[in-house]
């Protein structure tokens, strides 16, 4: 155990962690906008330990995405909390458990505990739950327990993956900001704080300091957008509310951004940005693209859908981003070997023929892998197919997606880390955040050195976060990233744009899709 400035640590901090710890430990509000994998979780726990040892706080409230919130309690706090300060009282809050008497009793005990640091970790969505029922009787829900925790203790509140509160008008953001106002100390953590542009940072900074933007002369989100956005006039066709007839309407169109140098200077007053390449000597990422051809049956279906899309884009109908993304999703499904029944994604699909060249290519890739690997894919049906194929190949694999409950996910991640499974099969929305999936770095055969994207979603943040599950502090080996793409399809354009840091989910337009299809 190492003691620095009279605060004990379980293990020595890295140079950048120690520097920021000394700078930020006493601040009432600070944002750690650090790349994934550079140790911001350890940094926060070290700051909480300092504040607790100084008598400044006796409660730590962590808000995090569902699933990630559990990792704080089961993995991060027990691993990093200084043993000399005693073991903190940790309880996590889950919607599935909230209607049990045991959960309610545990929360009562947590709020009332004295003489140790009380740690409460809950998902952002738990704040939406004011009340729950047990045998028909209403009892406190997540929001009520968070308020009780905040009002009965001197709390440091942490918003992990804080871009979850980027939309100022969403109920989740409004409730998170209200919770933050009760806390004595506030922190945000985010490896990709502005994946869709500078507007995403407004609410995150407001969580840290409700008056920060007001002091800068900006009184509202609209004022923020005016300050940093370049706007023009756009036009679209929409139905008249009274007549129902289509009419041309004007709307403000974002053309670009301005004054970003000013925004950067302002953010430096309340946050810091640390990039992985600046502070870590990690082995390189190596990217490979492996292609396959659609079967004749798949190509026929794909070309038919493509022609339908082109006709739709040229029809003059109102074209919105959600509609464009739906068209793209259907094309992606064909590239994966099936079509959705009634446009429903998931299990309700029909396979196109008996061949699946994408799955066959994956089989060839994993056949002789001498070490562990992560396989990411966006569709539940693909996880089913991959798990079945790996079982047939007598490869040990674990599954981590929406079909697995919290206990099952925890067991899957632990099994992969221990070396009980060679493959970790997941989708980035479920497993792309909050996990360390390095494997055993003392044994090359048990380390994770390959990350395979069986298929890609459209969300840039999911891609960036998922890449860094295996490329973070502790990785000794080069990590090989393999994208599987269907030749002469939309697959190629999606991968190209994600690699160029283009958020397809947010920025794609009808014109962009038309270009991709021609």
């Amino acid at each position: 155990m190492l003691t620095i400035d009279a605060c004990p640590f379980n293990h020595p901090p890295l140079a950048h962690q120690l520097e920021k710890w000394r700078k930020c430990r006493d601040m009432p509000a600070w944002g750690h906008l650090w790349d994934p994998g550079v140790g911001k979780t350890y940094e926060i726990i070290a700051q909480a330990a300092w504040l607790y040892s100084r008598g400044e706080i006796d409660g730590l409230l962590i808000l995090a995405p569902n699933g990630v919130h559990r990792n704080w309690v089961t993995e991060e706090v027990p691993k990093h909390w200084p043993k000399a300060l005693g073991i903190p009282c940790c309880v996590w809050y889950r919607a599935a458990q909230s209607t049990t008497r045991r959960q309610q009793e545990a929360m009562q005990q947590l709020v009332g505990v004295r003489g140790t640091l009380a740690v409460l970790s809950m998902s952002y969505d738990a704040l939406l739950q004011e009340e729950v029922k047990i045998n028909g009787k209403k009892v406190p829900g997540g929001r009520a327990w968070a308020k009780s925790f905040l009002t009965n203790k001197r709390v440091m509140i942490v918003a992990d993956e804080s871009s979850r509160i980027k939309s100022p008008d969403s109920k989740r953001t409004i409730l998170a900001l209200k919770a933050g106002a009760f806390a004595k100390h506030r922190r945000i953590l985010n490896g990709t704080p502005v994946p869709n542009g500078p507007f995403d940072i407004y609410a995150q900074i407001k969580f840290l300091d409700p008056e920060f933007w007001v002091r800068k002369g900006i009184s509202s989100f609209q004022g923020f957008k005016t300050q940093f956005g370049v706007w023009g006039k756009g036009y679209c066709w929409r139905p008249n509310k009274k007549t129902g007839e289509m009419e041309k309407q004007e709307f403000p169109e974002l053309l670009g951004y301005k004054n970003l140098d000013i925004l950067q200077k302002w953010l430096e007053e309340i946050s810091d940005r640390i990039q992985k390449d600046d502070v870590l000597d990690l082995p390189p990422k190596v990217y490979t693209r492996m292609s396959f051809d659609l079967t004749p049956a798949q190509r026929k279906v794909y070309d038919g859908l493509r022609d339908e899309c082109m006709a739709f884009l040229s029809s003059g109908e109102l074209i919105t981003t959600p509609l464009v993304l739906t068209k793209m999703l259907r094309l992606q499904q064909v590239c994966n070997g099936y079509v959705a029944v009634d446009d429903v994604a998931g299990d309700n699909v029909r396979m196109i023929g008996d061949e699946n060249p994408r799955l066959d290519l994956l089989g060839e890739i994993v056949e002789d892998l001498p070490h562990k690997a992560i396989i990411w894919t966006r569709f539940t049906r693909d996880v089913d197919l991959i798990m079945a194929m790996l079982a047939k190949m007598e490869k040990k694999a674990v599954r981590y997606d929406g079909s697995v409950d919290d206990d099952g996910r925890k067991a899957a991640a632990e099994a992969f880390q221990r070396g009980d499974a060679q493959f970790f099969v997941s989708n980035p929305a479920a497993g792309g955040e909050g996990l360390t999936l390095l494997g055993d770095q003392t044994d090359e055969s048990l380390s994770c050195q390959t990350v395979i994207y069986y298929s890609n979603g459209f969300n840039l943040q999911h891609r960036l976060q998922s890449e860094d599950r295996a490329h973070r502090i502790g990785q000794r080996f080069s990590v090989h990233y393999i994208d599987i793409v269907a030749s002469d399809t939309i697959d190629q354009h999606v991968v190209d744009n994600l690699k160029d840091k283009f958020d397809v989910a947010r920025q794609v337009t009808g014109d962009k899709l038309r270009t991709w299809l021609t």
Side-chain angles (χ1 to χ4, degrees):
M1 182 173 62
L2 180 70
T3 300
I4 300 175
D5 295 349
C7 187
F9 291 81
N10 280 346
H11 49 83
L14 298 176
H16 69 278
Q17 292 172 321
L18 180 57
E19 176 191 352
K20 299 303 180 182
W21 178 78
R22 284 173 168 159
K23 175 183 177 181
C24 308
R25 62 192 181 188
D26 292 309
M27 289 184 176
W30 196 257
H32 295 283
L33 311 181
W34 299 9
D35 277 355
V38 299
K40 54 185 177 289
T41 301
Y42 172 81
E43 172 71 19
I44 285 296
I45 294 172
Q47 289 185 33
W50 168 260
L51 292 171
Y52 173 66
S53 70
R54 304 282 289 181
E56 289 290 314
I57 65 170
D58 58 3
L60 175 61
L61 173 57
I62 300 155
L63 301 176
N66 188 38
V68 175
H69 71 296
R70 178 167 182 163
N71 293 339
W72 277 87
V73 172
T74 60
E75 302 293 334
E76 302 299 338
V77 173
K79 179 169 61 177
H80 298 307
W81 184 257
K83 299 298 189 292
L85 296 182
I87 299 175
C89 178
C90 299
V91 175
W92 67 89
Y93 187 93
R94 292 189 297 161
Q97 291 181 327
S98 62
T99 56
T100 66
R101 292 188 182 279
R102 182 178 179 182
Q103 174 73 80
Q104 295 290 320
E105 291 170 357
M107 293 303 299
Q108 290 175 350
Q109 181 181 7
L110 182 67
V111 171
V113 71
R114 297 292 182 267
T116 186
L117 180 73
V119 180
L120 172 58
S121 184
M122 61 170 57
S123 69
Y124 287 106
D125 288 341
L127 293 178
L128 303 176
Q129 195 179 38
E130 176 65 31
E131 296 177 327
V132 294
K133 289 184 178 181
I134 297 179
N135 298 326
K137 181 181 177 180
K138 292 182 178 179
V139 297
R143 190 190 320 165
W145 280 120
K147 184 176 181 179
S148 180
F149 189 82
L150 286 160
T151 53
N152 281 279
K153 295 185 178 297
R154 290 162 291 131
V155 175
M156 175 177 174
I157 188 171
V158 179
D160 189 16
E161 303 298 346
S162 57
S163 59
R164 290 294 198 281
I165 54 173
K166 64 189 176 187
S167 302
D169 296 331
S170 74
K171 190 172 183 181
R172 175 195 291 168
T173 298
I174 292 170
L175 292 172
L177 266 58
K178 287 183 177 179
F182 284 96
K184 188 174 182 180
H185 295 266
R186 293 176 292 277
R187 301 289 186 269
I188 63 171
L189 306 181
N190 207 330
T192 51
V194 288
N196 309 308
F199 297 162
D200 288 352
I201 201 65
Y202 174 83
Q204 298 176 60
I205 298 300
K206 192 173 181 180
F207 171 87
L208 285 178
D209 182 348
E211 300 301 317
F212 183 85
W213 299 121
V214 175
R215 292 197 298 272
K216 300 301 183 184
I218 299 173
S219 59
S220 66
F221 184 46
Q222 183 58 49
F224 184 87
K225 292 194 293 184
T226 299
Q227 175 79 8
F228 298 108
V230 178
W231 300 89
K233 293 181 180 180
Y235 300 93
C236 65
W237 290 90
R238 292 176 178 168
N240 184 289
K241 292 182 179 180
K242 294 182 179 180
T243 66
E245 296 181 358
M246 298 298 291
E247 61 182 20
K248 191 176 183 180
Q249 296 185 14
E250 179 183 310
F251 68 92
E253 182 178 17
L254 179 64
L255 303 178
Y257 301 107
K258 63 181 181 180
N259 300 326
L260 296 186
D261 56 337
I262 296 175
L263 178 60
Q264 179 63 36
K265 290 181 180 178
W266 287 356
L267 292 178
E268 289 173 358
E269 298 175 16
I270 197 170
S271 67
D272 50 53
R273 180 83 175 105
I274 293 182
Q275 295 181 295
K276 189 184 299 183
D277 292 343
D278 295 333
V279 296
L280 299 181
D281 186 20
L282 287 176
K285 292 181 177 180
V286 178
Y287 293 93
T288 299
R289 189 173 305 189
M290 301 187 71
S291 302
F292 67 94
D293 293 324
L294 298 180
T295 67
Q298 292 170 352
R299 175 57 66 182
K300 181 177 180 180
V301 176
Y302 184 91
D303 289 347
L305 281 178
R306 182 187 60 191
D307 292 345
E308 287 181 18
C309 287
M310 292 298 291
F312 168 75
L313 295 173
S314 303
S315 66
E317 295 183 39
L318 175 63
I319 299 172
T320 63
T321 296
L323 279 174
V324 171
L325 293 176
T326 298
K327 300 293 185 183
M328 292 170 58
L329 182 144
R330 292 184 65 198
L331 289 166
Q332 274 196 319
Q333 289 174 326
V334 175
C335 293
N336 287 24
Y338 48 81
V339 292
V341 178
D342 298 325
D343 290 333
V344 177
D347 293 329
N348 193 17
V349 299
R350 174 177 59 82
M351 302 302 295
I352 305 172
D354 298 327
E355 298 179 73
N356 191 334
R358 183 185 291 269
L359 192 64
D360 293 341
L361 179 54
L362 176 64
E364 294 176 13
I365 295 170
V366 305
E367 175 66 35
D368 298 317
L369 273 184
H371 47 251
K372 297 202 291 188
I374 302 169
I375 303 173
W376 298 112
T377 185
R378 71 169 304 182
F379 298 115
T380 299
R381 180 55 175 158
D382 292 329
V383 179
D384 296 338
L385 294 170
I386 293 168
M387 291 299 293
M389 181 194 72
L390 293 174
K392 188 175 181 180
M393 297 172 68
E394 298 184 348
K395 302 281 188 180
K396 293 182 179 179
V398 291
R399 176 176 190 149
Y400 193 107
D401 69 348
S403 68
V404 182
D405 63 19
D406 281 354
D407 290 334
R409 292 189 188 191
K410 179 176 182 291
E414 290 177 348
F416 184 75
Q417 279 291 89
R418 282 196 308 268
D420 294 343
Q422 183 183 4
F423 296 98
F424 182 89
V425 185
S426 180
N427 63 66
E433 296 175 328
L435 295 177
T436 295
L437 301 172
L438 302 178
D440 185 349
Q441 295 296 298
T442 64
D443 186 334
E444 187 169 358
S445 67
L446 296 178
S447 66
C448 182
Q449 300 179 48
T450 299
V451 178
I452 303 168
Y453 285 88
Y454 184 80
S455 61
N456 278 280
F458 304 142
N459 189 299
L460 176 61
Q461 185 175 3
H462 287 171
R463 171 72 190 222
L464 296 176
Q465 291 275 8
S466 62
E467 281 193 12
D468 285 324
R469 295 313 96 202
H471 196 256
R472 53 202 302 110
I473 291 176
Q475 179 60 267
R476 295 177 51 222
F477 306 98
S478 178
V479 182
H480 186 195
Y481 295 86
I482 302 174
D483 283 285
I484 298 178
V485 300
S487 300
D488 192 26
T489 71
I490 199 171
D491 266 7
Q492 298 171 308
H493 299 288
V494 170
V495 172
D496 286 343
N497 281 270
L498 291 175
K499 292 286 185 63
D500 290 339
K501 304 298 187 291
F502 179 90
D503 193 328
V504 179
R506 292 276 182 171
Q507 299 168 268
V508 72
T509 63
D511 289 339
K512 175 73 73 172
L513 179 57
R514 184 183 289 107
T515 301
W516 291 357
L517 296 179
T518 55

